[in-house]
Amino acid sequence: MRGPSGLYRKRQQRTQEDYLSRTVDLRVEELVWARSDAPALPPTVSVTADGWQLKDGTKKELGSPDSSRFEVGHDYVITFAHFSDGAWSPLGSGGVLPYDHGRIGEGEFQGETGTADAYRSTWEERLVPGDEQPMAFRTVGKPATSVQGILRSATPDATAARYFGLDPAARHQKVAGASEPADTFCSVAAPLSVSEDSRHTPDELASVLTDLADLAGPAGKDASALRQYARSLQAGAGTSAPVDDTARKASVARIEQECGTEVGELLPTDTETDTGKG
């Protein structure tokens, strides 16, 4: 990737100072790797790049840490993402590698022209023991084919593979959401354990019971009991009205049998008026 072939300035008004951003045209000279069925990269890609800050008549270059600014006459290996609005953009600062003279790490980095050895030293200082080494460090000093080899041998994330039809931002949300443990019936019920000594108002307890009913499923007497008990708690909140004792007992049995945790009487514990059992 040769870039940029042109510079364009846009003035943005900021508090007490000006900012000049750049739109740079990057000329694609070689396609190193693309996943199957990926949209075709055009021969020229225009992106917004770091520019300058103007303050008190002084012009100062701005740049992102650990990234290249895109300067005229330099080459780069760039990982591009294609978004739903049709735009192409580098996939984060780590997706841009200096590539002068056919060697990764050689060329423009953080606005300065440097050697592959200096680039290696920069990344070596940032390595975290036990973490996977970044692509920039693993390929420094090597040709672009080294990046190609790593990408070809990589195993796609199973969740991401299911959503290749989405743009990168939406796909990331799917993958990030899948990495978070899903709520289960027993994880939601855990705070109700007598050993947790949690405090719940009638409305709070009703909300937990409703969530448990949703996780238990819409059908079945166990889910119905949970919902019925939740409704009776909400109806009697702030009063001395009795709760649905039959639904309460069925809810206790449902939780204790499935989760093996003791929930006691399963009555509100954060209320000035004790709720009767009927």
Side-chain angles (χ1 to χ4, degrees), residues 80-95:
F80 276 105
H82 188 239
F83 292 86
S84 57
D85 61 359
W88 290 87
S89 178
L91 195 58
S93 59

Side-chain angles (χ1 to χ4, degrees), residues 35-55:
R35 68 171 174 84
S36 177
D37 299 325
L41 189 68
T44 301
V45 181
S46 295
V47 300
T48 300
D50 292 320
W52 303 269
Q53 180 188 57
L54 298 179
K55 186 175 182 179

